[in-house]
Amino acid sequence: ELRSALDLRTLLERVLNLSMQNVGAINGSIIVLDENGEPVDSAIIAGDTVHDHTTGRLIDTLEKGLSGWVVRERRVALVENTNQDSRWMPRQYEDDGQQLPKSAVCAPILSRDQLVGVLTLVHPNPGFFSYEHVSLVQAIADQAGIAVLNARLYAESQRHAEVMTTLAKSATGISASLNLDDVFAAILEQTDLALNVRAVELTLVDPDGSLELRAVRRGSRTEVNLTPRKIEHGISCWVVKQDEDAIIQDVRQDGRFNVEADQVSGIVTKSVLCAAIHYRRQVIGTLETINPREGEFNPDSLLILSGIANLAGTAIRHAQLFEQLQADHQRYQDLFADSIAPSLINYWNGEIFAST
């Protein structure tokens, strides 16, 4: 049953359902970890309800809860009474205002000595789980290990392919013109298409080192011929100074966010994704996205934005050089186009060989 699924989400639900059925649990959760021990996906089943997008909800249990203890110790934990065990975090599965005592069993999911996840099962009656249940849960986790690892690697390869496809499409759109305003518009449009956000902002570093807002996209409206506005505080400034991308799910909890930015943009900012724009390893600006229309930003979103920002750096610099070349050419023409003064061209010895 477990080996028949390659889709990670489907597999997680199967592991939980089969575990709960065989052990008699009422609630359960499973967290998948990457090679660095960071959570990449998860699932919760409470009664008959499957909960999606639960990684943020379960991440605390990896830091200071029962799941974290199991990850560190790499062995099964049996909790006879959750109200009497310091490893248990209340409200892990449901809003239980009375915090009634439960019993729980938690097991590491291993594949060839590699920790790939952690499985937790819960029953509303204290003392329900026995050491026989512990052995059974560990056996299920062992069977699930290779299947979870394969599904995780498959999901990672699929996401990698999607990112590469997105960046390839973005590259085509961004490099279609050498006009700077058109390049700005293409960068904003491709970013919006790739990440589906409420707003996109592009800033550039001036020769004097200050940061200026140069182009914005809000909804379907793009503005590129802006009067440059200095940016002295906020996330973009931090990204430029630190040369480090930023992903912020709740800006109100982050001191880098400049609350005055909402007054200027007219948008109530909730989440921000910001990447540095580089050209020849130097930061020349930032590309910032605000408020995803669906779900939340994830590491793949940051990878995509960083990739678009790298493409943007080359496109912007080429457009700037082309713009400068055109300006120089126009100045050269202006020197002679309307001139009525005579010109003489001579050899080094002073002999004239041409005149106009």
Side-chain angles (χ1 to χ4, degrees):
E1 180 71 17
L2 297 180
R3 288 195 300 267
S4 64
L6 261 182
D7 177 72
L8 185 56
R9 181 51 54 84
T10 300
L11 177 64
L12 298 186
E13 292 180 12
R14 287 186 182 181
V15 171
L16 276 179
N17 275 315
L18 290 170
S19 302
M20 292 167 63
Q21 291 172 15
N22 283 278
V23 179
I26 303 300
N27 301 331
S29 72
I30 185 170
I31 307 173
V32 180
L33 307 173
D34 64 15
E35 60 273 11
N36 298 316
E38 297 295 327
V40 294
D41 207 342
S42 64
I44 293 177
I45 295 181
D48 296 327
T49 304
V50 178
H51 298 273
D52 296 324
H53 306 295
T54 59
T55 304
R57 181 178 174 184
L58 293 173
I59 194 169
D60 284 345
T61 69
L62 287 173
E63 297 176 356
K64 50 191 175 183
L66 184 63
S67 298
W69 186 91
V70 169
V71 167
R72 291 188 295 273
E73 298 294 327
R74 293 202 172 199
R75 57 192 177 96
V76 181
L78 175 62
V79 177
E80 296 184 352
N81 188 322
T82 56
N83 284 3
Q84 299 175 0
D85 196 305
S86 60
R87 298 171 297 180
W88 182 258
M89 290 189 64
R91 300 189 181 185
Q92 182 174 350
Y93 297 99
E94 56 196 11
D95 293 330
D96 181 0
Q98 299 179 356
Q99 292 303 306
L100 298 175
K102 308 174 183 67
S103 57
V105 59
C106 185
I109 301 176
L110 300 166
S111 177
R112 301 188 185 95
D113 294 327
Q114 179 182 351
L115 184 67
V116 297
V118 57
L119 170 67
T120 305
L121 302 174
V122 180
H123 194 276
N125 296 334
F128 174 82
F129 294 118
S130 65
Y131 283 99
E132 286 76 12
H133 288 117
V134 169
S135 299
L136 180 55
V137 170
Q138 184 61 75
I140 294 173
D142 291 342
Q143 290 291 324
I146 187 65
V148 170
L149 179 60
N150 287 340
R152 193 200 78 192
L153 294 176
Y154 178 75
E156 290 175 358
S157 66
Q158 291 293 99
R159 288 197 298 269
H160 182 73
E162 291 174 1
V163 168
M164 292 300 101
T165 300
T166 299
L167 292 180
K169 293 179 180 178
S170 299
T172 302
I174 291 172
S175 61
S177 173
L178 280 174
N179 178 275
L180 188 58
D181 286 349
D182 290 343
V183 170
F184 284 160
I187 292 170
L188 298 182
E189 182 181 358
Q190 291 301 320
T191 302
D192 190 10
L193 288 172
L195 297 174
N196 192 24
V197 292
R198 299 290 180 183
V200 186
E201 297 183 353
L202 187 150
T203 68
L204 290 182
V205 178
D206 265 2
D208 62 3
S210 61
L211 193 63
E212 289 186 344
L213 180 65
R214 299 296 302 273
V216 298
R217 180 180 176 90
R218 297 185 179 98
S220 59
R221 182 181 177 185
T222 300
E223 299 178 60
V224 296
N225 194 15
L226 298 175
T227 300
R229 177 169 63 84
K230 299 288 185 182
I231 299 178
E232 299 178 350
H233 307 285
I235 296 170
S236 290
C237 289
W238 183 91
V239 168
V240 169
K241 291 178 181 178
Q242 301 297 322
D243 192 5
E244 182 179 340
D245 299 340
I247 178 170
I248 303 172
Q249 303 295 0
D250 185 358
V251 296
R252 306 299 166 179
Q253 304 298 321
D254 196 294
R256 294 170 293 181
F257 178 67
N258 180 17
V259 294
E260 297 178 357
D262 284 359
Q263 299 175 2
V264 177
S265 67
I267 296 176
V268 178
T269 304
K270 297 179 181 178
S271 303
V272 167
L273 196 64
C274 188
I277 299 175
H278 292 90
Y279 180 74
R280 293 186 176 177
R281 299 184 180 179
Q282 290 189 342
V283 179
I284 65 170
T286 65
L287 190 58
E288 181 175 295
T289 61
I290 300 171
N291 298 352
R293 290 189 175 92
E294 297 179 1
E296 62 181 19
F297 291 125
N298 55 54
D300 285 346
S301 301
L302 187 57
L303 185 61
I304 290 173
L305 185 64
S306 179
I308 294 176
N310 287 331
L311 295 171
T314 302
I316 290 172
R317 189 58 182 146
H318 285 177
Q320 288 175 330
L321 291 173
F322 182 71
E323 190 177 73
Q324 181 180 344
L325 178 64
Q326 285 187 311
D328 291 342
H329 183 66
Q330 185 61 47
R331 282 195 296 270
Y332 177 80
Q333 285 187 321
D334 291 343
L335 288 174
F336 299 101
D338 299 322
S339 176
I340 59 174
S343 300
L344 303 176
I345 303 176
N346 57 277
Y347 295 109
W348 287 110
N349 61 8
E351 180 183 353
I352 296 173
F353 70 86
S355 65
T356 60

